[in-house]
Amino acid sequence: MAKLVETFPCVPSTERGRGILISGDPKSDTILYCNGRSVLIRSLQRPQDVEVYGEHGYAATVARYSPNGEWIASADVSGTVRVWGTHNGFVLKNEFRVLAGRIDDLQWSSDCLRIVASGDGKGKSLVRAFAWDSGNTMGDFDGHSRRVLSCAFKPTRPFRIATCGEDFLVNFYDGPPFKFHSSHRQHSNFVNCIRYAPDGSKFITVSSDKKGMIYDGKTGDKIGELASEDGHKGSIYAVSWSPDSKRVLTVSADKSAKIWEISEDGTVGSVIKTLTFTESGGAEDMLVGCLWQNDHLITVSLGGTMCLFSADDMDKPPLLLSGHIKNVTSLAVLGDNQKTILSCSYDGLIVKWLQGIGYSCKLQMKDNTKIKRLAATGSNILLTGFDNKVWRMPLTDNGFGDADHVDIGHQPLDISIAIDSPEYTALVSFESGVVLLNGLSILSKIDLGYVVAASVISPDGKEAIVGGQDGKLHMYSVSEDNSLKEEAVLEKHRGAVTVIRYSPDLTMFASGDANREAVVWDRETKQVKLNNMLFHTARINSLAWSPNNKMVATGSVDTNVIVYEVDKQASSRITVRHAHLGGVNAVAFVDECTVASSGEDASVRMWHIEPQ
């Protein structure tokens, strides 16, 4: 039996030059955000408590709690809105095709009976309001000519809807049934976000022209604007009201968040506090999303980092929540007591996690170097990507040291380190052979004469196993002059070998292939020790041994993690179904009964395994 014990979640998907719209539920103090096809529900009191909804067929763009907190409406790039329950397994209430293109924003009415959605209509309707249970359209929304980036539903009666978009317009509709009332063109650039005050008296728009405009909530007339003094010096991407409707939070491409005091009559908004937090110093620090919920001020940067400030003590350093945006390709576990988990994603981001705590720190590779594989010792990590370079980086208590690299002349496929060898010899495989490295110096480059798919070197550095595209395992001894001598060829796999790993006591090794099969071998006799490990339905991407040599975990494209006990029949396996939406890319044992896994959903999860 497997039980989820901890999740290191992904952060919101971001896009340069676009704001993102996160939301939450003040009653449960949770927030909603989207990454890929996943909608994440995350507690602000306990950030490690995460639930994931992954039923969208396309990338999700926005999600909103209903005012009573019982339902969530989420939308995706195909124009579909799904309404589902917050309890009892996210039961689907309804699914509607609302727009012909991407939905950028949606809002509930305060009585939970209506939803308005806006976005890209691809030549058809750009805004639509509909009944939450039947999907019946409630009115016509004329007046926009380009993508509508945001919409707002007046939270008090009489109901009104306000919208804004790429045509620089702010449109106002009354109803229901809703019909066009008025239009304003005070902005000179994209209007990125529009929000009603909780008391319904006013609404505010913010734009890429660095301005914010305030309107009367009932008539839609412009009544004021945010002062230019101490204002933003870049595009304003998002805005959020305080619960008392007296202040707003804005975030901008100038890497700052500002708190504005809105006058009682709404004629002016003046800055009372500027919040800044610099992480990388680059474009990743631009702020693209925000939310004011209860005592929390939340900002989201382009790099995905969420900063949680306290509304009661804004000078207090923020709590940082960060992680991956793209799919996690590799994992490594370090340390004896409190385990450190390193994960790297395709976009060149390496994140350090602490078991039981969560996010520790991260490093973005320069020049957006893509990362494919990671191997680690206690003091160094080796990385390979999609160019011809192998990177080496020292690990420090505070994070990561400066990276250096060697060019091996070929695109690396697999990398492993002989952790017990004096100089941490590393074996790097490429399409037609392997390279032996000592630090960043090339000891030897060997052409093997067949198409290589996977490789591993023994911890003492004296033996190497190379898996071919033809499914054969070639065992080599590593001589003192760093040449390879073939000792045996093992045949069992019916597909290309994708991964090979030695057991910690070196008496066994395991291999997995692209034809969904894994095999455990006895190292001395070179015979199969455990076979019929055929319970995945697609390619095996990763494989790991437990520290006590009793279990083998495999992760596959089929989204499952399967744990086998070496001394039992393969049929007595423990299966973690749907471990990662889109597929599992890496698995690693944290201790004898805990497996870490990562995948296409950009998250890292820890599973407690109880042998049967």
Side-chain angles (χ1 to χ4, degrees), residues 206-273:
V206 292
S207 165
S208 294
D209 64 6
K210 310 170 192 173
K211 295 179 181 177
M213 304 286 179
I214 306 166
Y215 301 82
D216 182 272
K218 188 174 180 181
T219 65
D221 298 329
K222 183 194 167 191
I223 54 175
E225 61 183 270
L226 300 181
S228 57
E229 184 182 352
D230 294 329
H232 285 294
K233 295 178 174 58
S235 299
I236 306 176
Y237 287 127
V239 62
S240 184
W241 287 87
S242 63
D244 61 6
S245 302
K246 294 179 179 177
R247 292 175 289 174
V248 294
L249 167 68
T250 58
V251 290
S252 165
D254 65 8
K255 305 178 185 177
S256 72
K258 293 183 185 290
I259 314 292
W260 306 75
E261 187 84 48
I262 307 298
S263 61
E264 192 69 36
D265 58 3
T267 55
V268 68
S270 49
V271 175
I272 58 173
K273 183 71 178 176

Side-chain angles (χ1 to χ4, degrees), residues 12 21 83 94 127 130 138 186 225 257 308 316 341 343 365 375 378 399 415 426 440 468 540 552 562 568 574 581 589:
L21 304 174
V83 180
N94 270 314
V127 184
F130 58 95
M138 296 187 166
Q186 270 93 14
E225 61 183 270
L308 269 63
K316 183 179 174 184
I341 295 150
S343 59
M365 295 290 285
I415 184 168
L440 286 178
I540 294 175
V552 174
I562 298 180
K568 294 183 180 180
I574 299 165
L581 187 68
F589 270 90

Side-chain angles (χ1 to χ4, degrees), residues 435-507:
V435 173
L436 282 167
L437 297 176
N438 186 339
L440 286 178
S441 56
I442 297 176
L443 300 176
S444 61
K445 184 185 289 186
I446 304 152
D447 196 302
L448 297 174
Y450 55 88
V451 181
V452 175
S455 64
V456 69
I457 191 169
S458 62
D460 57 12
K462 294 179 179 177
E463 184 180 77
I465 306 173
V466 180
Q469 198 75 30
D470 57 3
K472 295 178 182 177
L473 293 171
H474 300 258
M475 299 187 71
Y476 299 92
S477 57
V478 183
S479 56
E480 291 185 5
D481 63 353
N482 298 309
S483 61
L484 299 184
K485 179 185 176 186
E486 188 167 280
E487 301 289 346
V489 178
L490 308 180
E491 296 187 36
K492 175 79 168 71
H493 290 287
R494 290 168 290 183
V497 178
T498 55
V499 60
I500 315 164
R501 292 291 180 265
Y502 279 99
S503 64
D505 64 3
L506 305 183
T507 61

Side-chain angles (χ1 to χ4, degrees), residues 328-333 499 501 536 540-545 552-556 560-563 579-580 584-590 594-599 605 607:
V328 181
T329 56
S330 203
L331 284 178
V333 178
V499 60
R501 292 291 180 265
H536 284 294
I540 294 175
N541 280 333
S542 184
L543 186 151
W545 284 88
V552 174
T554 57
S556 166
N560 299 335
V561 173
I562 298 180
V563 180
H580 294 274
V584 180
N585 290 335
V587 291
F589 270 90
V590 179
T594 307
V595 175
S597 64
S598 66
R605 293 192 172 88
W607 309 91

Side-chain angles (χ1 to χ4, degrees), residues 84-383:
W84 40 282
T86 55
H87 310 298
N88 303 324
F90 305 143
V91 176
L92 180 67
K93 168 74 173 175
N94 270 314
E95 182 178 46
F96 306 112
R97 183 71 187 273
V98 177
L99 300 180
R102 172 193 174 103
I103 293 176
D104 286 305
D105 196 7
L106 63 81
Q107 295 284 343
W108 290 79
S109 63
S110 57
D111 59 5
C112 303
L113 298 179
R114 303 169 184 85
I115 298 172
V116 60
S118 67
D120 188 357
K122 294 186 177 178
K124 299 179 183 176
S125 177
L126 301 165
V127 184
R128 188 175 156 208
F130 58 95
W132 84 291
D133 52 355
S134 66
N136 292 338
T137 300
M138 296 187 166
D140 294 318
F141 292 86
D142 304 322
H144 282 290
S145 59
R146 296 183 64 185
R147 183 171 163 185
V148 179
L149 298 175
S150 188
C151 56
F153 219 124
K154 185 167 177 278
T156 56
R157 292 179 184 274
F159 287 141
R160 301 284 187 267
I161 288 176
T163 60
C164 63
E166 291 184 354
D167 52 9
F168 311 169
L169 295 178
V170 176
N171 286 354
F172 191 69
Y173 304 86
D174 53 20
F178 294 97
K179 59 185 183 297
F180 179 82
H181 179 275
S182 58
S183 183
H184 302 275
R185 199 187 174 106
Q186 270 93 14
H187 288 291
S188 58
N189 208 327
F190 290 0
V191 191
N192 294 315
C193 188
I194 187 166
R195 289 291 176 261
Y196 258 100
D199 64 6
S201 62
K202 297 177 279 290
F203 66 90
I204 187 170
T205 59
V206 292
S207 165
S208 294
D209 64 6
K210 310 170 192 173
K211 295 179 181 177
M213 304 286 179
I214 306 166
Y215 301 82
D216 182 272
K218 188 174 180 181
T219 65
D221 298 329
K222 183 194 167 191
I223 54 175
E225 61 183 270
L226 300 181
S228 57
E229 184 182 352
D230 294 329
H232 285 294
K233 295 178 174 58
S235 299
I236 306 176
Y237 287 127
V239 62
S240 184
W241 287 87
S242 63
D244 61 6
S245 302
K246 294 179 179 177
R247 292 175 289 174
V248 294
L249 167 68
T250 58
V251 290
S252 165
D254 65 8
K255 305 178 185 177
S256 72
K258 293 183 185 290
I259 314 292
W260 306 75
E261 187 84 48
I262 307 298
S263 61
E264 192 69 36
D265 58 3
T267 55
V268 68
S270 49
V271 175
I272 58 173
K273 183 71 178 176
T274 298
L275 304 172
T276 57
F277 180 80
T278 303
E279 194 168 37
S280 68
E284 289 79 18
D285 287 344
M286 290 181 180
L287 299 180
V288 294
C290 66
L291 179 66
W292 192 322
Q293 181 165 296
N294 299 337
D295 179 42
H296 300 288
L297 301 175
I298 306 154
T299 65
V300 184
S301 71
L302 182 63
T305 299
M306 291 187 282
C307 293
L308 269 63
F309 293 90
S310 170
D312 293 334
D313 184 4
M314 296 181 196
D315 295 319
K316 183 179 174 184
L319 171 67
L320 297 186
L321 302 177
S322 193
H324 294 283
I325 294 179
K326 303 290 186 185
N327 54 315
V328 181
T329 56
S330 203
L331 284 178
V333 178
L334 303 171
D336 297 321
N337 298 325
Q338 186 181 38
K339 300 287 186 176
T340 298
I341 295 150
L342 297 176
S343 59
C344 70
S345 56
Y346 155 81
D347 57 351
L349 181 69
I350 308 159
V351 179
K352 182 178 176 183
W353 310 92
L354 298 178
Q355 185 182 7
I357 295 176
Y359 173 76
S360 172
C361 60
K362 68 179 180 181
L363 174 81
Q364 178 70 52
M365 295 290 285
K366 292 177 182 172
D367 305 321
N368 284 329
T369 302
K370 304 290 187 277
I371 298 178
K372 190 176 178 184
R373 290 276 186 271
L374 174 147
T377 66
S379 56
N380 288 286
I381 57 176
L382 289 179
L383 305 160

Side-chain angles (χ1 to χ4, degrees), residues 563-576:
V563 180
Y564 301 93
E565 292 181 69
V566 176
D567 296 331
K568 294 183 180 180
Q569 294 284 327
S571 57
S572 65
R573 69 206 178 277
I574 299 165
T575 303
V576 182

